[in-house]
Amino acid sequence: MKKDIKIPEVTDVEIAVVYEFNNEYKTDDWNIYIINKKNIDLELVVIVSQGFNQTKATSILRKKIDKLPANSFAKVEFIQPELFKLHNRFHVTFFEGNTLHEKTFLFEKDTVKEGALRMIPELNKRGILAS
């Protein structure tokens, strides 16, 4: 039966951490975004995030997006800079058509810093893409 299960490879979906100015609070914040570079809408997107290392783990956070339109993006959550000392994992599941897809994205500890920021064209903002 295992041989009959087909797990499609996820392409053209990214998780990014972006350093941006918050107009409301007049602060520079780090935010997590999901980017849909596909020409098709993603439905019932669920993002489960957690920071961890060998001795610590943060609470698990869950975010649901009913529909992420084709060639668009959505802000997922604010992330505190103190968490960059941990590995930060984002497990993403979604439906593309009638097919369930899943992928885990990871920001390794100490890799998110201002010096590593690059322009992300889809967002028109500077950030870092998860591996």
Side-chain angles (χ1 to χ4, degrees):
M1 287 191 81
K2 281 186 178 181
K3 65 179 175 53
D4 296 328
I5 298 173
K6 304 246 188 290
I7 300 174
E9 180 182 354
V10 173
T11 58
D12 296 329
V13 175
E14 301 283 351
I15 292 286
V17 61
V18 173
Y19 192 57
E20 59 189 338
F21 186 73
N22 182 324
N23 287 320
E24 185 176 345
Y25 296 107
K26 307 295 184 223
T27 58
D28 290 314
D29 293 340
W30 291 93
N31 292 298
I32 302 296
Y33 283 83
I34 184 167
I35 305 167
N36 177 12
K37 298 192 280 186
K38 294 178 177 288
N39 292 323
I40 188 170
D41 297 346
L42 305 182
E43 297 178 359
L44 294 174
V45 180
V46 176
I47 303 157
V48 179
S49 62
Q50 184 176 36
F52 66 96
N53 65 17
Q54 292 178 350
T55 59
K56 294 182 196 174
T58 65
S59 299
I60 294 173
L61 297 176
R62 293 173 183 85
K63 169 81 174 193
K64 182 182 120 199
I65 301 169
D66 290 323
K67 182 177 180 180
L68 185 59
N71 299 302
S72 71
F73 59 87
K75 188 184 291 188
V76 176
E77 63 188 37
F78 163 80
I79 186 167
Q80 296 176 331
E82 296 81 23
L83 295 176
F84 299 147
K85 293 180 173 103
L86 304 173
H87 302 290
N88 287 278
R89 176 178 45 222
F90 296 85
H91 186 78
V92 178
T93 57
F94 60 89
F95 279 94
E96 182 180 333
N98 290 326
T99 305
L100 180 66
H101 291 70
E102 68 175 352
K103 183 171 181 178
T104 300
F105 297 90
L106 183 68
F107 291 103
E108 296 282 344
K109 69 176 184 169
D110 298 321
T111 59
V112 177
K113 48 193 157 208
E114 285 187 59
L117 296 172
R118 301 290 178 262
M119 184 56 73
I120 300 173
E122 294 84 6
L123 300 174
N124 197 27
K125 297 179 183 204
R126 291 171 36 95
I128 302 165
L129 294 174
S131 55

